Amino acid sequence: MGAIGIKEIFIEEADEILNNLESDIVSLEEENNPEIINRVFRYMHTLKGSSGIAGFNEISEFTHKVENLLDRVRGGELEVKKSLIDILLGSIDWVKLNIFNTDVDSKDLRDSLIDDILHYSSVNEEIESIKTTEEADTCQDKITGSTNELRINDIGYNYFHIKSKFKEDIFEFGIDPLMLIEDLSSLGRFCKNSINRNRFPNFEEFNPEKCYLDWDIILKTRHPQEKIDDVFLFVKDDNEIDIQNITSTYIENEKDNSYVEVKRLGDLLLRKGIITSDELNDVLAIQDEKNHRIGDIIIEKGYATENDVKVALHEQEKIKIKIESSTVRVDTRKLDALMNLLGEIVIGQSALTRISEELDEGEESYNLKNTLYGLDRTTREFQEQIMSIRMIPIGATFEQFRRFVRDSSKAFGKDIKIEIRGKDTELDKTVIEKIGDPLKHMIRNAIDHGIESSQEREKAGKDKTGHIILQAYHQEGNVYIEILDDGRGIDKEKVKEKACEMGLIKPNDEISDEKILSFLFAPGLSTAERVGDLSGRGVGMDVVKTNIDELRGTVQVETTIGKGTTFRIKLPL
């Protein structure tokens, strides 16, 4: 794969990652959820690695700093506050500038963000230092049996057995396995690091651009397995990477740095600090004498509770579950080309059908018609399958509005939250690409003069926080998208007055509420009392309707004074 191809793939994937990041960071501000924190960290880690591979080194270095900040958040060392959210969202903006508009000089913004990141991180440096010292004092060596050569693992450490077998052509994808090993070594200490040279070819067949080495490593670390998995994030799908947590069955040998595998319950309880070496020796002596189960003896002697023993037994039987991805990214142009080819097949099939109808009745005519009938059914199923591939969930489009609502409401001094429903509702990719701008304008109107200020809402007996609901659903062969707000509602009389001023109707005309509200989409009509950056110029709602008409859709408005407004878009599947 050429360098240009790699950059194109990175830019396409980066757009999706950045949108997901932006949405999750805004959600994190509303809900401090560990799952969201982990997801944000993984997205940033992916962005760091893929930008480096694609040659965006400055982005890779910058996102590495952001990743370190997120790692401390994930570890509970840093608290999620508004100041942190601002830094993270600012970082997203900087990355976007440098990927999608590289001509923009954003050095000052980058330097400012780095200063903020370093300042934010340094707040807890002293606390972390104290914590590390206390942990070091706590981790005392434990002796098993009658020898002092073997010791139970230090409390608080994990041990992972990592086997990595890389494909020979891995260098062609810009990946150096040695860098992965170095990243791994930064997480802890190698108790074992051996190289398998069995794949080495004869000298005359040796190719310096291929990888022939396999690694077998045992890593001692304070980090969880998720951190180890992150190191191999970009290679685990295409290479043989096996990571096993052997903490419960591993004992270090200080003398020669070897290890033994153990599955004894007593060793596990000793490692956890639940029982002492003397208590374990006492239990082992009783077991040799009475041949009872060690767990029963420990409980009977009162050295550990029944629950302690159950937990240790469960740890012995833990099984690692691997989840493999089964998706592939396809260029929509290929799908379009496939659809065009299918169209040609349908045209040819129709011609054959007409010819069959002109043939005299007979066995050959009958066989041809039956064959064409089966071909028609297959072609229709083929068409439906291609169309289903083009159908994608609308969730990604919806999620991008979280940041928009946050920033816009902040600009107007309002407190507004957005709720998203029906993210799994599917639409054709082309429709989704074209519906984003109309939705943005309708949400913009709701923020600007649909939802009241916090003071106005409290005077009206409402929650001071305004709410916008963005939802999608299927119904009767159509897709419905609704934008609901709980604001002041639309004054229909004011709309009617504006329509009269523009000559759209006469003052004495009797018209329905539905017709009055349809004037909202007339060019130049606006009921806003002031002109602002977001709305009030009478430009936009007519464009919204034009865009929806082009998609063969319709838009309706429902409103109640003092309670809110609903814009309902109806689109064909």
Side-chain angles (χ1 to χ4, degrees), residues 355-367 369:
I355 293 172
S356 70
E357 296 294 336
E358 296 172 0
L359 293 176
D360 295 332
E361 294 294 332
E363 184 177 351
E364 291 183 358
S365 174
Y366 176 78
N367 290 338
K369 290 178 181 178

Side-chain angles (χ1 to χ4, degrees), residues 273-319:
I274 295 173
I275 64 176
T276 66
S277 298
D278 291 341
E279 289 170 343
L280 177 58
N281 291 332
D282 182 27
V283 169
L284 292 174
I286 295 174
Q287 184 191 35
D288 292 340
E289 182 181 339
K290 298 185 177 181
N291 199 26
H292 290 173
R293 290 191 305 178
I294 191 170
D296 293 337
I297 300 172
I298 290 173
I299 295 171
E300 182 182 337
K301 297 284 288 184
Y303 294 149
T305 67
E306 184 176 353
N307 184 63
D308 291 333
V309 172
K310 284 183 178 179
V311 171
L313 288 171
H314 176 70
E315 190 172 341
Q316 284 181 310
E317 300 170 357
K318 284 192 299 185
I319 299 173

Side-chain angles (χ1 to χ4, degrees), residues 349-402:
Q349 180 184 318
S350 298
L352 285 173
T353 301
R354 286 195 301 272
I355 293 172
S356 70
E357 296 294 336
E358 296 172 0
L359 293 176
D360 295 332
E361 294 294 332
E363 184 177 351
E364 291 183 358
S365 174
Y366 176 78
N367 290 338
L368 177 59
K369 290 178 181 178
N370 275 347
T371 302
L372 288 171
Y373 175 78
L375 180 61
D376 179 68
R377 183 178 57 190
T378 302
T379 304
R380 291 181 184 276
E381 290 179 0
F382 187 18
Q383 184 180 26
E384 290 174 1
Q385 287 297 320
I386 295 177
M387 292 301 295
S388 68
I389 294 173
R390 291 185 57 91
M391 301 288 281
I392 59 176
I394 201 168
T397 300
F398 278 7
E399 288 291 338
Q400 69 181 350
F401 294 117
R402 289 192 186 276

